[in-house]
Amino acid sequence: MFKSIVPVLSQVPAEVCLGQQNRGMATLKAIQIRLKSVKNIQKITQSMKMVSAAKYSRAERDLKQARPYGVGAQQFYEKAEVVPKEDDNKKLFIAITSDRGLCGAVHTGVARYIRGELAKDPNIKVICVGDKSRAILSRLYGKNIEMVANEVGRLPPTFLDAAKLCNAILNLGYEYTDGKIIYNKFKSVVSYSVSDIPIFSLKSVESAEKLPVYDSLDSEVVQSYLEFSLASLLFYTMKEGACSEQSSRMTAMDNASKNAGEMIDKLTLTFNRTRQAVITRELIEIISGASALETKD
């Protein structure tokens, strides 16, 4: 019987038979590898979502305690009506980001805001808190970056971190007249906005019209308060940015997990259809060979 099959199969070119079978098996193998890869990615995104949810809960609690630092420091500038001097205006922008990614457009929004301001005034100096803002801004405005603070975002920010950053900014050697702290202000779990807080130098504060309202203020007292207020504002904005980052990462990982689930369903359906087509084609070949043998006999 096996000898009689050889002439029948020899009528069909061997390249066609092997090519169809190899293409079917290669497609199944590729789909299977892709399906396994997407499942592994879904496990990672789900784990990252759970971790971000836990970190977000802690960051939100810490933010409520840190907000009085920022509100109090801002009220002093508002009540004293501090404005920068028009002559010799030197601006300094501080970008509050982190070193970590996979959190949506949190870092991109801060960098986009600063790029818009640099397009208007190319003399603005920038301090990047976090490597993500440096990576975005250094492509076009690398000369404007005065300092970069790394190792941000791995642990929750503390006032000691803000104090060290404040000390590094004051000892930088760049005497600015005024500037802004650009950060992400947390609104809700799915909402945040890019905001800014003004900062001023000692000369700008001393020239404020309503500063004499506060009694017993000399240069040393004002200088000490400005150092503390800058550290307080940095601490507050870092807490706002950390909370916004964790909430955005949690949302991004949730969306990634849902997209991975949809892709798994599509790949599973494609795999089953392709597998069924391969089985059907093999059955047709077997039945055709058997029919050819019966016809010949």
Side-chain angles (χ1 to χ4, degrees), residues 129-151:
V129 181
D131 194 61
K132 289 297 180 180
S133 58
R134 180 204 61 81
I136 300 173
L137 294 174
S138 61
R139 300 171 187 173
L140 297 176
Y141 302 101
K143 296 181 180 180
N144 297 81
I145 299 177
E146 287 288 324
M147 187 184 72
V148 179
N150 293 325
E151 298 297 326

PDB file of all heavy atoms in Angstrom, residues 129-151:
ATOM      1  N   VAL A 129      14.960  68.804  37.704  1.00  0.00           N
ATOM      2  CA  VAL A 129      14.836  67.869  38.822  1.00  0.00           C
ATOM      3  C   VAL A 129      14.264  66.573  38.261  1.00  0.00           C
ATOM      4  O   VAL A 129      13.073  66.470  37.993  1.00  0.00           O
ATOM      5  CB  VAL A 129      13.937  68.442  39.930  1.00  0.00           C
ATOM      6  CG1 VAL A 129      13.847  67.461  41.095  1.00  0.00           C
ATOM      7  CG2 VAL A 129      14.461  69.787  40.405  1.00  0.00           C
ATOM      8  N   GLY A 130      15.123  65.599  38.048  1.00  0.00           N
ATOM      9  CA  GLY A 130      14.709  64.366  37.387  1.00  0.00           C
ATOM     10  C   GLY A 130      15.323  64.262  36.002  1.00  0.00           C
ATOM     11  O   GLY A 130      15.460  65.267  35.289  1.00  0.00           O
ATOM     12  N   ASP A 131      15.684  63.059  35.629  1.00  0.00           N
ATOM     13  CA  ASP A 131      16.389  62.868  34.362  1.00  0.00           C
ATOM     14  C   ASP A 131      15.465  62.944  33.152  1.00  0.00           C
ATOM     15  O   ASP A 131      15.929  63.167  32.034  1.00  0.00           O
ATOM     16  CB  ASP A 131      17.089  61.495  34.378  1.00  0.00           C
ATOM     17  CG  ASP A 131      18.100  61.359  33.263  1.00  0.00           C
ATOM     18  OD1 ASP A 131      19.058  62.150  33.237  1.00  0.00           O
ATOM     19  OD2 ASP A 131      17.931  60.470  32.403  1.00  0.00           O
ATOM     20  N   LYS A 132      14.156  62.767  33.335  1.00  0.00           N
ATOM     21  CA  LYS A 132      13.232  62.788  32.202  1.00  0.00           C
ATOM     22  C   LYS A 132      13.145  64.175  31.565  1.00  0.00           C
ATOM     23  O   LYS A 132      13.138  64.298  30.334  1.00  0.00           O
ATOM     24  CB  LYS A 132      11.842  62.328  32.655  1.00  0.00           C
ATOM     25  CG  LYS A 132      11.749  60.839  32.970  1.00  0.00           C
ATOM     26  CD  LYS A 132      12.021  60.008  31.731  1.00  0.00           C
ATOM     27  CE  LYS A 132      11.938  58.519  32.044  1.00  0.00           C
ATOM     28  NZ  LYS A 132      12.202  57.700  30.845  1.00  0.00           N
ATOM     29  N   SER A 133      13.079  65.210  32.378  1.00  0.00           N
ATOM     30  CA  SER A 133      13.038  66.562  31.818  1.00  0.00           C
ATOM     31  C   SER A 133      14.351  66.908  31.126  1.00  0.00           C
ATOM     32  O   SER A 133      14.372  67.586  30.092  1.00  0.00           O
ATOM     33  CB  SER A 133      12.730  67.575  32.922  1.00  0.00           C
ATOM     34  OG  SER A 133      13.692  67.495  33.960  1.00  0.00           O
ATOM     35  N   ARG A 134      15.478  66.446  31.677  1.00  0.00           N
ATOM     36  CA  ARG A 134      16.765  66.707  31.030  1.00  0.00           C
ATOM     37  C   ARG A 134      16.837  66.041  29.661  1.00  0.00           C
ATOM     38  O   ARG A 134      17.312  66.633  28.690  1.00  0.00           O
ATOM     39  CB  ARG A 134      17.903  66.185  31.899  1.00  0.00           C
ATOM     40  CG  ARG A 134      19.295  66.409  31.297  1.00  0.00           C
ATOM     41  CD  ARG A 134      20.287  65.425  31.836  1.00  0.00           C
ATOM     42  NE  ARG A 134      19.897  64.062  31.515  1.00  0.00           N
ATOM     43  CZ  ARG A 134      20.113  63.476  30.338  1.00  0.00           C
ATOM     44  NH1 ARG A 134      20.698  64.152  29.353  1.00  0.00           N
ATOM     45  NH2 ARG A 134      19.733  62.242  30.129  1.00  0.00           N
ATOM     46  N   ALA A 135      16.343  64.789  29.577  1.00  0.00           N
ATOM     47  CA  ALA A 135      16.397  64.074  28.306  1.00  0.00           C
ATOM     48  C   ALA A 135      15.574  64.769  27.228  1.00  0.00           C
ATOM     49  O   ALA A 135      15.950  64.763  26.054  1.00  0.00           O
ATOM     50  CB  ALA A 135      15.904  62.636  28.504  1.00  0.00           C
ATOM     51  N   ILE A 136      14.459  65.375  27.611  1.00  0.00           N
ATOM     52  CA  ILE A 136      13.597  66.045  26.626  1.00  0.00           C
ATOM     53  C   ILE A 136      14.152  67.415  26.237  1.00  0.00           C
ATOM     54  O   ILE A 136      14.192  67.768  25.062  1.00  0.00           O
ATOM     55  CB  ILE A 136      12.164  66.173  27.176  1.00  0.00           C
ATOM     56  CG1 ILE A 136      11.572  64.788  27.468  1.00  0.00           C
ATOM     57  CG2 ILE A 136      11.272  66.913  26.188  1.00  0.00           C
ATOM     58  CD1 ILE A 136      10.231  64.826  28.162  1.00  0.00           C
ATOM     59  N   LEU A 137      14.601  68.179  27.237  1.00  0.00           N
ATOM     60  CA  LEU A 137      15.035  69.550  26.966  1.00  0.00           C
ATOM     61  C   LEU A 137      16.434  69.631  26.370  1.00  0.00           C
ATOM     62  O   LEU A 137      16.759  70.600  25.686  1.00  0.00           O
ATOM     63  CB  LEU A 137      14.988  70.370  28.263  1.00  0.00           C
ATOM     64  CG  LEU A 137      13.601  70.607  28.853  1.00  0.00           C
ATOM     65  CD1 LEU A 137      13.714  71.300  30.197  1.00  0.00           C
ATOM     66  CD2 LEU A 137      12.745  71.443  27.905  1.00  0.00           C
ATOM     67  N   SER A 138      17.270  68.638  26.630  1.00  0.00           N
ATOM     68  CA  SER A 138      18.656  68.707  26.156  1.00  0.00           C
ATOM     69  C   SER A 138      18.774  68.575  24.642  1.00  0.00           C
ATOM     70  O   SER A 138      19.829  68.884  24.087  1.00  0.00           O
ATOM     71  CB  SER A 138      19.492  67.611  26.833  1.00  0.00           C
ATOM     72  OG  SER A 138      18.985  66.329  26.514  1.00  0.00           O
ATOM     73  N   ARG A 139      17.742  68.128  23.969  1.00  0.00           N
ATOM     74  CA  ARG A 139      17.818  67.980  22.514  1.00  0.00           C
ATOM     75  C   ARG A 139      17.929  69.326  21.813  1.00  0.00           C
ATOM     76  O   ARG A 139      18.689  69.468  20.854  1.00  0.00           O
ATOM     77  CB  ARG A 139      16.576  67.232  22.014  1.00  0.00           C
ATOM     78  CG  ARG A 139      16.415  65.836  22.602  1.00  0.00           C
ATOM     79  CD  ARG A 139      15.058  65.240  22.249  1.00  0.00           C
ATOM     80  NE  ARG A 139      14.820  63.977  22.942  1.00  0.00           N
ATOM     81  CZ  ARG A 139      13.658  63.320  22.921  1.00  0.00           C
ATOM     82  NH1 ARG A 139      12.622  63.829  22.248  1.00  0.00           N
ATOM     83  NH2 ARG A 139      13.526  62.188  23.577  1.00  0.00           N
ATOM     84  N   LEU A 140      17.173  70.318  22.292  1.00  0.00           N
ATOM     85  CA  LEU A 140      17.176  71.629  21.655  1.00  0.00           C
ATOM     86  C   LEU A 140      17.748  72.722  22.549  1.00  0.00           C
ATOM     87  O   LEU A 140      18.297  73.710  22.042  1.00  0.00           O
ATOM     88  CB  LEU A 140      15.742  72.020  21.246  1.00  0.00           C
ATOM     89  CG  LEU A 140      15.053  71.120  20.211  1.00  0.00           C
ATOM     90  CD1 LEU A 140      13.622  71.575  19.997  1.00  0.00           C
ATOM     91  CD2 LEU A 140      15.814  71.124  18.894  1.00  0.00           C
ATOM     92  N   TYR A 141      17.635  72.559  23.857  1.00  0.00           N
ATOM     93  CA  TYR A 141      18.039  73.624  24.774  1.00  0.00           C
ATOM     94  C   TYR A 141      19.027  73.099  25.809  1.00  0.00           C
ATOM     95  O   TYR A 141      18.890  73.366  27.014  1.00  0.00           O
ATOM     96  CB  TYR A 141      16.804  74.211  25.471  1.00  0.00           C
ATOM     97  CG  TYR A 141      15.772  74.750  24.514  1.00  0.00           C
ATOM     98  CD1 TYR A 141      14.621  74.022  24.202  1.00  0.00           C
ATOM     99  CD2 TYR A 141      15.930  75.996  23.909  1.00  0.00           C
ATOM    100  CE1 TYR A 141      13.673  74.524  23.323  1.00  0.00           C
ATOM    101  CE2 TYR A 141      14.989  76.505  23.033  1.00  0.00           C
ATOM    102  CZ  TYR A 141      13.868  75.760  22.744  1.00  0.00           C
ATOM    103  OH  TYR A 141      12.928  76.256  21.869  1.00  0.00           O
ATOM    104  N   GLY A 142      20.014  72.363  25.351  1.00  0.00           N
ATOM    105  CA  GLY A 142      21.014  71.834  26.275  1.00  0.00           C
ATOM    106  C   GLY A 142      21.845  72.916  26.925  1.00  0.00           C
ATOM    107  O   GLY A 142      22.272  72.784  28.087  1.00  0.00           O
ATOM    108  N   LYS A 143      22.081  74.032  26.229  1.00  0.00           N
ATOM    109  CA  LYS A 143      22.893  75.116  26.780  1.00  0.00           C
ATOM    110  C   LYS A 143      22.172  75.862  27.895  1.00  0.00           C
ATOM    111  O   LYS A 143      22.825  76.537  28.704  1.00  0.00           O
ATOM    112  CB  LYS A 143      23.272  76.094  25.671  1.00  0.00           C
ATOM    113  CG  LYS A 143      24.159  75.482  24.586  1.00  0.00           C
ATOM    114  CD  LYS A 143      24.510  76.508  23.531  1.00  0.00           C
ATOM    115  CE  LYS A 143      25.400  75.900  22.445  1.00  0.00           C
ATOM    116  NZ  LYS A 143      25.747  76.896  21.392  1.00  0.00           N
ATOM    117  N   ASN A 144      20.863  75.770  27.947  1.00  0.00           N
ATOM    118  CA  ASN A 144      20.104  76.481  28.980  1.00  0.00           C
ATOM    119  C   ASN A 144      20.034  75.722  30.295  1.00  0.00           C
ATOM    120  O   ASN A 144      19.611  76.278  31.306  1.00  0.00           O
ATOM    121  CB  ASN A 144      18.675  76.756  28.496  1.00  0.00           C
ATOM    122  CG  ASN A 144      18.639  77.664  27.280  1.00  0.00           C
ATOM    123  OD1 ASN A 144      18.844  77.214  26.147  1.00  0.00           O
ATOM    124  ND2 ASN A 144      18.389  78.947  27.491  1.00  0.00           N
ATOM    125  N   ILE A 145      20.428  74.459  30.296  1.00  0.00           N
ATOM    126  CA  ILE A 145      20.351  73.638  31.512  1.00  0.00           C
ATOM    127  C   ILE A 145      21.561  73.938  32.392  1.00  0.00           C
ATOM    128  O   ILE A 145      22.706  73.713  31.994  1.00  0.00           O
ATOM    129  CB  ILE A 145      20.282  72.144  31.165  1.00  0.00           C
ATOM    130  CG1 ILE A 145      19.026  71.853  30.334  1.00  0.00           C
ATOM    131  CG2 ILE A 145      20.289  71.299  32.433  1.00  0.00           C
ATOM    132  CD1 ILE A 145      18.919  70.407  29.875  1.00  0.00           C
ATOM    133  N   GLU A 146      21.306  74.444  33.585  1.00  0.00           N
ATOM    134  CA  GLU A 146      22.368  74.786  34.524  1.00  0.00           C
ATOM    135  C   GLU A 146      22.722  73.630  35.445  1.00  0.00           C
ATOM    136  O   GLU A 146      23.871  73.454  35.814  1.00  0.00           O
ATOM    137  CB  GLU A 146      21.939  75.995  35.374  1.00  0.00           C
ATOM    138  CG  GLU A 146      21.942  77.314  34.625  1.00  0.00           C
ATOM    139  CD  GLU A 146      23.344  77.807  34.340  1.00  0.00           C
ATOM    140  OE1 GLU A 146      24.243  77.612  35.177  1.00  0.00           O
ATOM    141  OE2 GLU A 146      23.544  78.397  33.257  1.00  0.00           O
ATOM    142  N   MET A 147      21.742  72.827  35.815  1.00  0.00           N
ATOM    143  CA  MET A 147      21.984  71.746  36.772  1.00  0.00           C
ATOM    144  C   MET A 147      20.921  70.672  36.599  1.00  0.00           C
ATOM    145  O   MET A 147      19.791  70.969  36.189  1.00  0.00           O
ATOM    146  CB  MET A 147      21.959  72.274  38.209  1.00  0.00           C
ATOM    147  CG  MET A 147      22.369  71.259  39.275  1.00  0.00           C
ATOM    148  SD  MET A 147      22.218  71.925  40.959  1.00  0.00           S
ATOM    149  CE  MET A 147      20.446  71.966  41.149  1.00  0.00           C
ATOM    150  N   VAL A 148      21.292  69.437  36.899  1.00  0.00           N
ATOM    151  CA  VAL A 148      20.370  68.297  36.821  1.00  0.00           C
ATOM    152  C   VAL A 148      20.445  67.535  38.134  1.00  0.00           C
ATOM    153  O   VAL A 148      21.535  67.196  38.609  1.00  0.00           O
ATOM    154  CB  VAL A 148      20.708  67.365  35.644  1.00  0.00           C
ATOM    155  CG1 VAL A 148      19.732  66.186  35.610  1.00  0.00           C
ATOM    156  CG2 VAL A 148      20.672  68.119  34.323  1.00  0.00           C
ATOM    157  N   ALA A 149      19.303  67.274  38.744  1.00  0.00           N
ATOM    158  CA  ALA A 149      19.220  66.477  39.969  1.00  0.00           C
ATOM    159  C   ALA A 149      18.692  65.085  39.617  1.00  0.00           C
ATOM    160  O   ALA A 149      17.562  64.957  39.152  1.00  0.00           O
ATOM    161  CB  ALA A 149      18.308  67.154  40.989  1.00  0.00           C
ATOM    162  N   ASN A 150      19.531  64.078  39.805  1.00  0.00           N
ATOM    163  CA  ASN A 150      19.158  62.702  39.481  1.00  0.00           C
ATOM    164  C   ASN A 150      18.681  61.963  40.731  1.00  0.00           C
ATOM    165  O   ASN A 150      18.623  62.527  41.825  1.00  0.00           O
ATOM    166  CB  ASN A 150      20.338  61.967  38.852  1.00  0.00           C
ATOM    167  CG  ASN A 150      20.707  62.530  37.491  1.00  0.00           C
ATOM    168  OD1 ASN A 150      19.839  62.952  36.746  1.00  0.00           O
ATOM    169  ND2 ASN A 150      21.992  62.569  37.181  1.00  0.00           N
ATOM    170  N   GLU A 151      18.371  60.686  40.535  1.00  0.00           N
ATOM    171  CA  GLU A 151      17.892  59.811  41.616  1.00  0.00           C
ATOM    172  C   GLU A 151      16.635  60.387  42.269  1.00  0.00           C
ATOM    173  O   GLU A 151      16.504  60.426  43.495  1.00  0.00           O
ATOM    174  CB  GLU A 151      18.990  59.602  42.672  1.00  0.00           C
ATOM    175  CG  GLU A 151      20.243  58.930  42.143  1.00  0.00           C
ATOM    176  CD  GLU A 151      19.978  57.518  41.632  1.00  0.00           C
ATOM    177  OE1 GLU A 151      19.107  56.826  42.209  1.00  0.00           O
ATOM    178  OE2 GLU A 151      20.644  57.111  40.657  1.00  0.00           O
TER     179      GLU A 151
END
